[in-house]
Coordinates of all heavy atoms in Angstrom, one line a residue:
Q286 N -18.1 -13.4 16.4 CA -18.5 -13.6 15.0 C -17.3 -14.0 14.2 O -16.3 -13.3 14.2 CB -19.2 -12.4 14.5 CG -19.6 -12.5 13.0 CD -20.3 -11.2 12.5 OE1 -21.1 -10.6 13.2 NE2 -19.9 -10.8 11.3
I287 N -17.3 -15.1 13.5 CA -16.2 -15.6 12.7 C -16.7 -15.7 11.2 O -17.7 -16.4 10.9 CB -15.7 -16.9 13.1 CG1 -15.2 -16.8 14.6 CG2 -14.6 -17.4 12.2 CD1 -14.7 -18.1 15.2
D288 N -16.1 -14.9 10.3 CA -16.5 -14.8 8.9 C -15.6 -15.5 8.0 O -15.9 -15.7 6.8 CB -16.7 -13.3 8.5 CG -17.8 -12.6 9.3 OD1 -18.8 -13.3 9.7 OD2 -17.7 -11.4 9.5
G289 N -14.3 -15.7 8.4 CA -13.3 -16.3 7.5 C -12.1 -16.6 8.2 O -12.0 -16.5 9.5
G290 N -11.0 -16.9 7.5 CA -9.7 -17.2 8.0 C -9.6 -18.6 8.7 O -10.5 -19.5 8.5
R291 N -8.6 -18.8 9.5 CA -8.4 -20.0 10.2 C -8.0 -19.7 11.7 O -7.0 -19.0 11.9 CB -7.3 -20.9 9.6 CG -7.1 -22.2 10.3 CD -6.0 -23.1 9.7 NE -4.7 -22.5 9.8 CZ -4.0 -22.1 8.8 NH1 -4.5 -22.2 7.5 NH2 -2.8 -21.5 9.0
T292 N -8.9 -20.0 12.6 CA -8.7 -19.8 14.0 C -8.5 -21.1 14.8 O -9.3 -22.0 14.7 CB -9.9 -19.0 14.6 OG1 -10.1 -17.8 13.9 CG2 -9.6 -18.7 16.1
S293 N -7.3 -21.2 15.4 CA -7.0 -22.4 16.2 C -6.7 -22.1 17.6 O -5.9 -21.2 17.9 CB -5.8 -23.1 15.6 OG -6.0 -23.4 14.2
V294 N -7.4 -22.7 18.5 CA -7.3 -22.4 20.0 C -7.2 -23.7 20.8 O -7.9 -24.7 20.6 CB -8.5 -21.6 20.5 CG1 -8.3 -21.2 21.9 CG2 -8.8 -20.4 19.6
I295 N -6.2 -23.7 21.7 CA -6.0 -24.9 22.6 C -5.9 -24.4 24.0 O -5.1 -23.5 24.3 CB -4.7 -25.7 22.2 CG1 -4.8 -26.2 20.8 CG2 -4.4 -26.8 23.2 CD1 -3.6 -27.0 20.3
T296 N -6.6 -25.0 24.9 CA -6.5 -24.7 26.3 C -6.1 -26.0 27.1 O -6.5 -27.1 26.7 CB -7.9 -24.3 26.9 OG1 -8.7 -25.4 27.1 CG2 -8.5 -23.2 26.0
T297 N -5.3 -25.8 28.1 CA -4.7 -27.0 28.9 C -5.0 -26.8 30.3 O -4.6 -27.7 31.1 CB -3.2 -27.1 28.6 OG1 -2.5 -25.9 29.0 CG2 -2.9 -27.4 27.1
G298 N -5.6 -25.8 30.8 CA -5.8 -25.5 32.2 C -6.9 -26.4 32.8 O -7.7 -26.9 32.1
E299 N -6.9 -26.4 34.2 CA -7.9 -27.2 34.9 C -9.0 -26.2 35.5 O -9.0 -25.0 35.2 CB -7.2 -27.9 36.1 CG -6.2 -29.0 35.6 CD -6.9 -30.1 34.9 OE1 -8.1 -30.4 35.2 OE2 -6.2 -30.8 34.1
T300 N -9.9 -26.7 36.2 CA -11.0 -25.9 36.8 C -10.4 -25.1 38.0 O -9.3 -25.4 38.5 CB -12.1 -26.8 37.3 OG1 -11.6 -27.7 38.3 CG2 -12.8 -27.5 36.2
E301 N -11.1 -24.0 38.3 CA -10.7 -23.1 39.4 C -12.0 -22.5 40.0 O -13.0 -22.3 39.4 CB -9.8 -22.0 38.8 CG -9.3 -21.1 39.9 CD -8.4 -20.0 39.3 OE1 -8.8 -19.4 38.3 OE2 -7.2 -19.8 39.7
Y302 N -11.9 -22.3 41.3 CA -13.1 -21.8 42.1 C -13.1 -20.3 41.8 O -12.2 -19.5 42.0 CB -13.0 -22.1 43.5 CG -14.2 -21.8 44.3 CD1 -15.4 -22.5 44.2 CD2 -14.3 -20.6 45.2 CE1 -16.5 -22.2 44.9 CE2 -15.4 -20.3 45.9 CZ -16.6 -21.1 45.7 OH -17.7 -20.8 46.4
D303 N -14.3 -19.8 41.5 CA -14.6 -18.4 41.2 C -15.2 -17.8 42.5 O -16.3 -18.1 42.8 CB -15.5 -18.2 40.0 CG -15.7 -16.7 39.6 OD1 -15.9 -15.9 40.5 OD2 -15.5 -16.4 38.5
D304 N -14.4 -17.0 43.2 CA -14.9 -16.4 44.5 C -16.1 -15.5 44.3 O -17.0 -15.4 45.2 CB -13.8 -15.7 45.2 CG -12.7 -16.6 45.7 OD1 -13.0 -17.7 46.1 OD2 -11.5 -16.2 45.7
E305 N -16.2 -14.8 43.2 CA -17.3 -13.9 42.9 C -18.6 -14.6 42.6 O -19.6 -14.3 43.2 CB -16.9 -13.0 41.8 CG -18.0 -11.9 41.5 CD -17.6 -10.9 40.4 OE1 -16.4 -10.8 40.1 OE2 -18.5 -10.3 39.9
D306 N -18.5 -15.6 41.7 CA -19.7 -16.4 41.4 C -20.0 -17.6 42.2 O -21.0 -18.3 42.1 CB -19.6 -16.8 39.9 CG -19.7 -15.6 38.9 OD1 -20.1 -14.6 39.3 OD2 -19.2 -15.8 37.8
K307 N -19.0 -17.9 43.1 CA -19.2 -18.9 44.1 C -19.4 -20.3 43.4 O -20.3 -21.1 43.8 CB -20.4 -18.7 45.1 CG -20.3 -17.3 45.8 CD -19.1 -17.2 46.7 CE -19.0 -15.9 47.4 NZ -17.8 -15.7 48.2
E308 N -18.6 -20.6 42.4 CA -18.7 -21.9 41.7 C -17.3 -22.2 41.0 O -16.5 -21.2 40.8 CB -19.8 -21.9 40.7 CG -19.6 -20.8 39.6 CD -20.7 -20.8 38.6 OE1 -21.7 -21.7 38.8 OE2 -20.7 -20.0 37.7
Y309 N -17.1 -23.4 40.7 CA -16.0 -23.8 39.9 C -16.2 -23.5 38.5 O -17.3 -23.7 38.0 CB -15.6 -25.3 40.1 CG -14.9 -25.6 41.4 CD1 -15.6 -25.9 42.6 CD2 -13.5 -25.5 41.4 CE1 -14.9 -26.2 43.7 CE2 -12.8 -25.7 42.6 CZ -13.5 -26.1 43.7 OH -12.8 -26.4 44.9
K310 N -15.2 -23.1 37.8 CA -15.3 -22.8 36.3 C -14.1 -23.5 35.6 O -13.0 -23.6 36.2 CB -15.3 -21.3 36.0 CG -16.5 -20.6 36.6 CD -16.6 -19.2 36.2 CE -17.9 -18.5 36.7 NZ -17.9 -17.1 36.3
G311 N -14.3 -23.9 34.4 CA -13.3 -24.6 33.6 C -12.8 -23.7 32.5 O -13.3 -22.6 32.3
C312 N -11.9 -24.2 31.7 CA -11.4 -23.5 30.6 C -12.4 -23.6 29.4 O -13.2 -24.5 29.4 CB -10.0 -24.1 30.1 SG -8.7 -23.7 31.3
A313 N -12.2 -22.8 28.4 CA -12.9 -22.9 27.2 C -12.1 -22.3 26.1 O -11.5 -21.2 26.3 CB -14.3 -22.2 27.2
A314 N -12.1 -22.9 24.9 CA -11.3 -22.3 23.8 C -12.0 -21.0 23.3 O -11.4 -20.0 23.1 CB -11.2 -23.3 22.6
L315 N -13.4 -21.1 23.2 CA -14.2 -19.9 22.8 C -15.3 -19.8 23.9 O -16.0 -20.7 24.2 CB -14.9 -20.1 21.5 CG -14.2 -19.4 20.3 CD1 -12.9 -20.1 19.9 CD2 -15.2 -19.4 19.1
K316 N -15.4 -18.6 24.5 CA -16.4 -18.3 25.5 C -17.0 -16.9 25.2 O -16.3 -15.9 25.2 CB -15.8 -18.4 26.9 CG -16.8 -17.9 28.0 CD -18.0 -18.9 28.1 CE -18.9 -18.6 29.3 NZ -19.6 -17.3 29.2
A317 N -18.3 -16.9 25.0 CA -19.0 -15.6 24.8 C -20.2 -15.6 25.8 O -20.9 -16.5 25.9 CB -19.6 -15.5 23.4
D318 N -20.4 -14.4 26.4 CA -21.5 -14.2 27.3 C -22.8 -14.0 26.5 O -23.9 -14.2 27.0 CB -21.3 -13.0 28.2 CG -20.3 -13.4 29.3 OD1 -19.8 -14.5 29.4 OD2 -19.9 -12.5 30.1
S319 N -22.6 -13.5 25.2 CA -23.7 -13.3 24.3 C -23.7 -14.4 23.3 O -23.4 -15.6 23.6 CB -23.6 -11.9 23.7 OG -24.7 -11.7 22.8
I320 N -24.0 -14.1 22.0 CA -24.1 -15.1 21.0 C -22.8 -15.4 20.3 O -21.8 -14.6 20.4 CB -25.1 -14.6 19.9 CG1 -24.6 -13.4 19.2 CG2 -26.5 -14.3 20.6 CD1 -25.4 -12.9 18.0
I321 N -22.7 -16.6 19.7 CA -21.6 -16.9 18.8 C -22.2 -17.2 17.4 O -23.2 -18.0 17.3 CB -20.9 -18.2 19.3 CG1 -20.2 -17.9 20.7 CG2 -19.8 -18.6 18.3 CD1 -19.5 -19.1 21.3
V322 N -21.6 -16.6 16.4 CA -22.1 -16.8 15.0 C -20.9 -17.2 14.1 O -19.9 -16.5 14.1 CB -22.7 -15.5 14.4 CG1 -23.2 -15.8 13.0 CG2 -23.9 -15.1 15.3
M323 N -21.0 -18.3 13.4 CA -20.0 -18.8 12.5 C -20.6 -18.7 11.1 O -21.5 -19.4 10.7 CB -19.6 -20.2 12.8 CG -18.5 -20.8 11.9 SD -16.9 -20.4 12.6 CE -15.9 -21.3 11.4
N324 N -19.9 -17.8 10.3 CA -20.4 -17.6 8.9 C -19.5 -18.2 7.9 O -19.9 -18.4 6.7 CB -20.6 -16.1 8.6 CG -21.7 -15.5 9.4 OD1 -22.8 -16.0 9.6 ND2 -21.5 -14.3 10.0
G325 N -18.2 -18.4 8.2 CA -17.2 -18.9 7.3 C -15.9 -19.1 7.9 O -15.7 -18.8 9.1
G326 N -14.9 -19.6 7.1 CA -13.6 -19.8 7.7 C -13.5 -21.2 8.4 O -14.4 -22.0 8.3
K327 N -12.4 -21.4 9.1 CA -12.2 -22.6 9.8 C -11.9 -22.3 11.3 O -11.1 -21.4 11.6 CB -10.9 -23.3 9.2 CG -11.1 -23.8 7.8 CD -9.8 -24.5 7.3 CE -9.9 -24.9 5.8 NZ -11.0 -25.9 5.6
L328 N -12.6 -23.0 12.1 CA -12.4 -22.9 13.6 C -12.0 -24.2 14.1 O -12.8 -25.2 14.1 CB -13.7 -22.4 14.2 CG -13.7 -22.3 15.8 CD1 -12.6 -21.3 16.3 CD2 -15.1 -21.9 16.3
N329 N -10.8 -24.3 14.7 CA -10.3 -25.5 15.3 C -10.0 -25.3 16.8 O -9.1 -24.5 17.1 CB -9.0 -26.0 14.5 CG -9.2 -26.0 13.0 OD1 -10.2 -26.6 12.6 ND2 -8.3 -25.4 12.3
V330 N -10.7 -26.1 17.6 CA -10.5 -25.8 19.1 C -10.4 -27.1 19.8 O -10.9 -28.2 19.5 CB -11.7 -25.0 19.6 CG1 -11.8 -23.6 19.0 CG2 -13.1 -25.8 19.4
K331 N -9.6 -27.1 20.9 CA -9.4 -28.2 21.7 C -9.1 -27.8 23.2 O -8.4 -26.9 23.4 CB -8.2 -29.1 21.3 CG -7.9 -30.3 22.1 CD -6.9 -31.2 21.5 CE -5.5 -30.6 21.3 NZ -4.5 -31.6 20.8
S332 N -9.8 -28.4 24.1 CA -9.7 -28.2 25.5 C -9.2 -29.5 26.2 O -10.0 -30.5 26.1 CB -11.0 -27.6 26.1 OG -10.7 -27.1 27.4
I333 N -8.1 -29.5 26.8 CA -7.5 -30.7 27.3 C -7.8 -30.9 28.8 O -8.0 -32.1 29.2 CB -6.0 -30.7 27.1 CG1 -5.7 -30.6 25.5 CG2 -5.3 -31.8 27.7 CD1 -4.2 -30.5 25.2
G334 N -7.8 -29.9 29.6 CA -8.0 -30.1 31.0 C -9.3 -30.5 31.5 O -10.3 -30.5 30.7
G335 N -9.5 -30.9 32.7 CA -10.7 -31.3 33.3 C -11.8 -30.2 33.3 O -11.5 -29.0 33.6
G336 N -13.0 -30.5 32.9 CA -14.1 -29.5 32.8 C -13.9 -28.6 31.6 O -14.7 -27.6 31.5
G337 N -13.0 -28.8 30.8 CA -12.8 -27.8 29.7 C -13.7 -28.0 28.5 O -14.2 -29.1 28.3
K338 N -14.1 -26.9 27.9 CA -15.0 -26.9 26.7 C -14.3 -26.3 25.5 O -13.5 -25.4 25.6 CB -16.3 -26.1 27.1 CG -17.0 -26.7 28.2 CD -18.2 -25.9 28.7 CE -19.0 -26.6 29.8 NZ -18.2 -26.9 31.0
G339 N -14.8 -26.8 24.4 CA -14.3 -26.2 23.1 C -15.0 -24.9 22.8 O -14.3 -23.9 22.7
I340 N -16.3 -24.9 22.7 CA -17.1 -23.7 22.4 C -18.1 -23.6 23.5 O -18.9 -24.5 23.7 CB -17.7 -23.8 21.0 CG1 -16.6 -23.9 19.9 CG2 -18.6 -22.6 20.7 CD1 -17.1 -24.1 18.5
S341 N -18.3 -22.4 24.1 CA -19.3 -22.2 25.1 C -19.9 -20.8 24.9 O -19.2 -19.8 24.7 CB -18.6 -22.3 26.5 OG -19.5 -22.0 27.5
S342 N -21.2 -20.8 25.0 CA -22.0 -19.5 24.9 C -23.1 -19.5 25.9 O -23.7 -20.5 26.1 CB -22.6 -19.3 23.5 OG -23.5 -18.2 23.5
D343 N -23.3 -18.3 26.5 CA -24.4 -18.2 27.5 C -25.7 -17.9 26.8 O -26.8 -18.0 27.5 CB -24.1 -17.0 28.4 CG -23.0 -17.3 29.4 OD1 -22.5 -18.4 29.5 OD2 -22.6 -16.3 30.1
Q344 N -25.7 -17.7 25.5 CA -26.9 -17.4 24.8 C -27.1 -18.4 23.6 O -27.3 -19.6 23.9 CB -27.0 -16.0 24.3 CG -27.1 -15.0 25.5 CD -27.3 -13.6 25.1 OE1 -27.8 -13.3 24.0 NE2 -27.0 -12.6 25.9
T345 N -27.0 -18.0 22.4 CA -27.2 -18.9 21.3 C -26.0 -19.1 20.4 O -25.0 -18.3 20.4 CB -28.3 -18.4 20.4 OG1 -27.9 -17.1 19.8 CG2 -29.6 -18.2 21.2
F346 N -26.0 -20.2 19.6 CA -24.9 -20.5 18.7 C -25.6 -20.7 17.3 O -26.5 -21.5 17.2 CB -24.1 -21.7 19.1 CG -23.2 -22.2 18.0 CD1 -22.1 -21.5 17.6 CD2 -23.4 -23.4 17.4 CE1 -21.2 -21.9 16.6 CE2 -22.6 -23.9 16.4 CZ -21.5 -23.2 16.0
T347 N -25.1 -20.0 16.3 CA -25.6 -20.1 14.9 C -24.5 -20.4 14.0 O -23.5 -19.7 13.9 CB -26.3 -18.8 14.5 OG1 -27.4 -18.5 15.4 CG2 -26.9 -19.0 13.1
M348 N -24.7 -21.5 13.2 CA -23.7 -22.0 12.2 C -24.3 -21.8 10.9 O -25.2 -22.5 10.5 CB -23.3 -23.4 12.5 CG -22.3 -24.0 11.6 SD -20.6 -23.6 12.1 CE -19.7 -24.5 10.8
N349 N -23.7 -20.8 10.1 CA -24.2 -20.6 8.7 C -23.3 -21.1 7.7 O -23.7 -21.3 6.5 CB -24.4 -19.1 8.5 CG -25.5 -18.6 9.4 OD1 -26.6 -19.2 9.5 ND2 -25.3 -17.4 10.0
G350 N -22.0 -21.2 8.0 CA -21.0 -21.7 7.0 C -19.7 -21.9 7.7 O -19.5 -21.7 8.9
G351 N -18.7 -22.3 6.9 CA -17.4 -22.6 7.4 C -17.3 -24.0 8.0 O -18.2 -24.8 7.8
S352 N -16.2 -24.3 8.7 CA -16.0 -25.6 9.3 C -15.5 -25.4 10.7 O -14.7 -24.5 11.0 CB -15.1 -26.4 8.5 OG -13.7 -25.9 8.5
I353 N -15.9 -26.4 11.6 CA -15.5 -26.4 13.0 C -15.0 -27.8 13.3 O -15.6 -28.8 13.0 CB -16.7 -26.1 13.9 CG1 -17.1 -24.6 13.8 CG2 -16.3 -26.4 15.4 CD1 -18.3 -24.2 14.6
M354 N -13.8 -27.9 14.0 CA -13.4 -29.1 14.6 C -13.2 -28.8 16.1 O -12.5 -27.9 16.4 CB -12.0 -29.5 14.0 CG -12.1 -29.8 12.5 SD -10.4 -30.0 11.7 CE -9.8 -31.4 12.6

Side-chain angles (χ1 to χ4, degrees):
Q286 177 178 318
I287 300 177
D288 298 330
R291 184 181 64 245
T292 301
S293 306
V294 185
I295 297 176
T296 75
T297 58
E299 298 292 334
T300 57
E301 183 178 50
Y302 189 73
D303 188 311
D304 291 326
E305 182 176 342
D306 292 340
K307 307 299 182 184
E308 63 180 359
Y309 279 94
K310 294 183 178 180
C312 290
L315 262 69
K316 173 65 171 70
D318 288 356
S319 181
I320 64 173
I321 297 176
V322 179
M323 181 86 178
N324 294 318
K327 297 178 183 295
L328 174 61
N329 308 311
V330 297
K331 177 169 66 174
S332 196
I333 295 174
K338 294 174 177 62
I340 298 172
S341 177
S342 168
D343 289 352
Q344 295 187 21
T345 63
F346 168 68
T347 302
M348 179 83 175
N349 295 316
S352 66
I353 291 175
M354 297 168 64

